[in-house]
Amino acid sequence: MLTLSPNRGGIDLAATLGCGQVFQWYSDGAGGWRGIVDGAPVRARQEGGALVCDSPLPAGRIRAYFRLDDNLEAIYASFPDDAQQAVAAFRGMRLVQQDLWECLLSFVCATNANIPRIHKMIAALCRRYGDEAGEGLYSFPTAASLAAANEGDLRALGLGYRAAHLLAMARRVDGGLFDLSELTRMDYASAHARLQALPGVGPKVADCVCLFSLGHLRAVPVDTWVRRMVQRRAPGLRSYRAMAEFAQAWLGPYAGYAQQYLFHYERTQAGWGCGGQ
DNA sequence: GCCCAGGTCAGCC
DNA sequence: GGCTGACATGGG
């Protein structure tokens, strides 16, 4: 059992795991969560300001996954005033640093789907192509296991048009035609551009991977929720690039962090205006 | 039934 | 470069 103390700002585990950045964690309804990191089962709960984990993984790996070394108080201080209401609602919510391959496929699945449906698609994918990891959990499928599938099987899981993208991506990665590891050595702009060479990956999915896996904390995925927030403040903007750049200027150096608070607040609190404008 | 969803793509201009 | 409609399917 590991007891981990976060850097300033504490942790809100329910918000962290339920805010739509990661899709394979399950709540027991009593504050406990179970999920998989690096293929290993993890049980997690918060006790006061600390994170308590039961897992075979070393503490350092858990700290990195939950970004426990981020100084949330310093990050909050960089946000504009109109993000503070969302901060107050989810103080302690942390971005996670999730596996690159899992993140990539998850957000390709997420295109034009709502969050409950994304959970279902990914659960089905893991059950069918992942490995049993104990406690009823299945690991995220490897590129090799997906590359051996066929499109009909994937469509049968309810993936729709996403099936072809996942299959093509798995075959390119498994066949060595696309090197995921090089992304981790790139700066934000290079990684964002390179990711879009993959089928089913446009600027929004690329930004999700940059933010939730590669740690580029100023990346702002402009989805339908973020677009509405941006256009409320800058009605003339149309292109993805323009809206993302506006959001980065508006939200500051940790724009991706701020974006996640606003996104979660907009979706769950039916908030309208977020304290500003 | 309807509209919408953490969009992307091909086919146009 | 920007705009439009198709894409599969389920949630609310």
Side-chain angles (χ1 to χ4, degrees):
Chain A
M1 200 73 75
L2 302 168
T3 299
L4 304 169
S5 296
N7 197 341
R8 294 188 59 192
I11 185 164
D12 180 338
L13 190 59
T16 296
L17 297 176
C19 70
Q21 60 175 328
V22 66
F23 302 100
Q24 277 298 87
W25 284 88
Y26 296 92
S27 168
D28 65 7
W33 294 79
R34 62 188 213 284
I36 293 182
V37 176
D38 296 348
V42 177
R43 285 182 174 275
R45 67 180 187 279
Q46 66 179 93
E47 288 185 3
L51 178 66
V52 178
C53 285
D54 185 5
S55 160
L57 298 170
R61 182 68 191 103
I62 301 288
R63 287 194 74 83
Y65 183 86
F66 285 100
R67 300 194 66 98
L68 295 183
D69 293 320
D70 287 351
N71 181 343
L72 292 183
E73 297 299 344
I75 289 170
Y76 297 155
S78 75
F79 291 176
D81 288 347
D82 51 358
Q84 298 300 337
Q85 192 173 342
V87 167
F90 307 116
R91 186 168 291 274
M93 184 175 84
R94 289 174 184 270
L95 294 179
V96 299
Q97 187 168 61
Q98 60 184 282
D99 175 76
L100 178 54
W101 174 245
E102 174 177 348
C103 185
L104 180 58
L105 266 65
S106 294
F107 284 98
V108 168
C109 287
T111 61
N112 218 30
N114 55 31
I115 287 181
R117 188 172 170 213
I118 301 166
H119 278 101
K120 283 191 176 179
M121 285 190 281
I122 295 182
L125 202 57
C126 291
R127 265 198 307 275
R128 176 68 180 80
Y129 295 101
D131 295 318
E132 197 163 2
E135 306 189 39
L137 297 172
Y138 291 83
S139 64
F140 202 87
T142 63
S145 67
L146 282 182
N150 66 64
E151 190 180 328
D153 291 340
L154 289 170
R155 280 184 177 254
L157 300 178
L159 296 175
Y161 60 82
R162 302 161 190 83
H165 292 150
L166 261 55
L167 188 56
M169 190 151 38
R171 289 183 174 164
R172 287 187 59 177
V173 170
D174 181 54
L177 300 175
F178 191 99
D179 179 14
L180 287 176
S181 67
E182 73 180 6
L183 293 167
T184 64
R185 297 186 288 274
M186 292 179 177
D187 62 17
Y188 168 44
S190 302
H192 189 251
R194 178 64 179 144
L195 279 160
Q196 289 176 74
L198 287 167
V201 180
K204 187 274 178 181
V205 171
D207 267 328
C208 287
V209 174
C210 284
L211 180 61
F212 300 132
S213 182
L214 298 176
H216 298 300
L217 299 186
R218 70 190 178 90
V220 177
V222 181
D223 72 335
T224 161
W225 299 91
V226 173
R227 172 163 32 84
R228 281 198 287 267
M229 288 189 281
V230 166
Q231 291 183 333
R232 224 177 286 154
R233 294 167 174 80
L237 300 185
R238 302 283 298 167
S239 75
Y240 184 95
R241 167 70 81 95
M243 290 188 284
E245 288 180 351
F246 176 89
Q248 289 175 348
W250 166 36
L251 298 173
Y254 299 101
Y257 242 112
Q259 166 278 149
Q260 194 61 22
Y261 279 82
L262 291 168
F263 168 82
H264 193 40
Y265 188 79
E266 281 286 301
R267 273 199 354 102
T268 62
Q269 310 288 305
W272 197 246
C274 294
Q277 295 296 334

